[in-house]
Amino acid sequence: MPLKTIRNARLYRQIADQLHDLIEAGEFPPGSLLPPERELAQTLGVSRASVREALIALEVIGQVEVRVGHGVLVGPLVPRGERSILHAAAQQHPWSLDPELEQEFAAQSDEEIPPYSLLEARRLVEPEAAALAAANMTPAILAGIEEAYERHVADNNEEVDERHQGIPYTANHTGDRLFHVRIAQASGNPAYALLIRHILGHQYGVMFRRLQDLYLTTDMKTRSREQHLRILNALRQHDAERARRAMAVHLDDVITIFFDS
């Protein structure tokens, strides 16, 4: 049962599960050492960081013992059931809020992030997330991002129609935000996904909506749609650099319109 090259997102999960499968199949019996980190990384075609995270997960559930400078010792088989190694490890040691810091989170949990701060944080994170997403793109992931893009287009059309009819319309931009959230999720980096989900999972606050009312240009919806399409096309072509650049241009344009117009 040879090791197989890993080519998808959430590498650490796949590596941990694959190593456990090999241990279960007897390729690495109890008392033996797993191959060195560097060798595993080269064989699997991943970074040493991903390999190390997988090994730590295996150690958390008691399957291996990591001995720094000596290797990774395989222990007696620990059944994982039908779930992944990472899920089994998380069940043993849940990721919970530090009670000593809980008040720090609760104090500002319902406060709107100022619009410029929101956009500035997104500008730092989202271009890299888009680049990673392009490298990790699969048909299923792409379908979800395309669905979000179509929702964004439909939201814009609905707003235009209702304004033409004189119907009061409060822009929510759900499709726009969903497009960005799904790209962050596609990056394969859970930290990027968590950050973008948190700051875009909320409806835009009153400050952001007022900024839109005052400074959105008449052609912004068309520009936004075209910019999103450029990002989407780069993802379709697995072009990481183009996806990074297209996302940066899009967010720079929004910042310019809101704060430099």
Side-chain angles (χ1 to χ4, degrees), residues 38-249:
R38 187 182 301 278
E39 182 181 330
L40 285 172
Q42 291 175 344
T43 302
L44 294 167
V46 299
S47 69
R48 289 184 67 179
S50 295
V51 170
R52 183 165 294 182
E53 288 173 340
L55 294 176
I56 292 300
L58 288 168
E59 183 175 54
V60 167
I61 68 166
Q63 182 57 75
V64 303
E65 180 185 350
V66 177
R67 297 178 175 178
V68 178
H70 297 282
V72 180
L73 182 68
V74 178
L77 181 65
V78 177
R80 78 165 189 257
E82 298 181 359
R83 304 227 178 190
S84 71
I85 294 298
L86 268 293
H87 182 270
Q91 290 296 102
Q92 292 189 28
H93 302 273
W95 192 37
S96 57
L97 190 63
D98 187 334
E100 292 188 66
L101 298 178
E102 187 170 3
Q103 196 60 35
E104 300 295 327
F105 286 86
Q108 298 181 328
S109 60
D110 60 349
E111 292 185 12
E112 179 184 353
I113 301 173
Y116 185 79
S117 298
L118 178 73
L119 290 168
E120 185 179 43
R122 291 179 57 190
R123 176 61 177 82
L124 289 172
V125 172
E126 289 197 63
E128 188 59 31
L132 291 171
N136 292 328
M137 197 53 52
T138 66
I141 292 173
L142 181 60
I145 296 173
E146 289 175 331
E147 179 186 44
Y149 173 76
E150 294 301 329
R151 170 65 191 274
H152 168 56
V153 173
D155 287 348
N156 283 349
N157 291 338
E158 180 183 0
E159 180 177 355
V160 170
D161 289 344
E162 294 197 6
R163 288 192 189 280
H164 282 168
Q165 297 173 38
I167 302 173
Y169 186 88
T170 301
N172 189 29
H173 302 282
T174 302
D176 184 347
R177 288 180 287 114
L178 183 61
F179 180 77
H180 288 271
V181 166
R182 288 190 173 169
I183 290 174
Q185 291 172 329
S187 72
N189 185 319
Y192 286 166
L194 178 66
L195 174 62
I196 299 304
R197 276 202 312 269
H198 180 72
I199 63 178
L200 292 185
H202 300 78
Q203 295 183 352
Y204 285 135
V206 64
M207 291 173 60
F208 203 105
R209 292 198 301 271
R210 185 57 181 152
L211 199 64
Q212 290 174 321
D213 290 340
L214 290 171
Y215 295 105
L216 272 184
T217 62
T218 55
D219 68 337
M220 184 57 195
K221 290 179 177 57
T222 300
R223 289 163 63 175
S224 177
R225 183 175 66 247
E226 291 174 349
Q227 289 165 5
H228 279 193
L229 184 57
R230 292 191 191 101
I231 296 167
L232 180 57
N233 284 335
L235 297 176
R236 286 168 172 160
Q237 296 174 17
H238 302 269
D239 191 328
E241 184 52 42
R242 210 173 88 184
R244 179 188 287 112
R245 187 167 59 250
M247 181 66 79
V249 166

Side-chain angles (χ1 to χ4, degrees), residues 2-8 11 14 18 41-46:
L3 288 167
K4 302 174 184 177
T5 301
I6 303 286
R7 297 189 184 278
N8 210 336
L11 302 179
Q14 296 181 62
Q18 188 177 155
Q42 291 175 344
T43 302
L44 294 167
V46 299

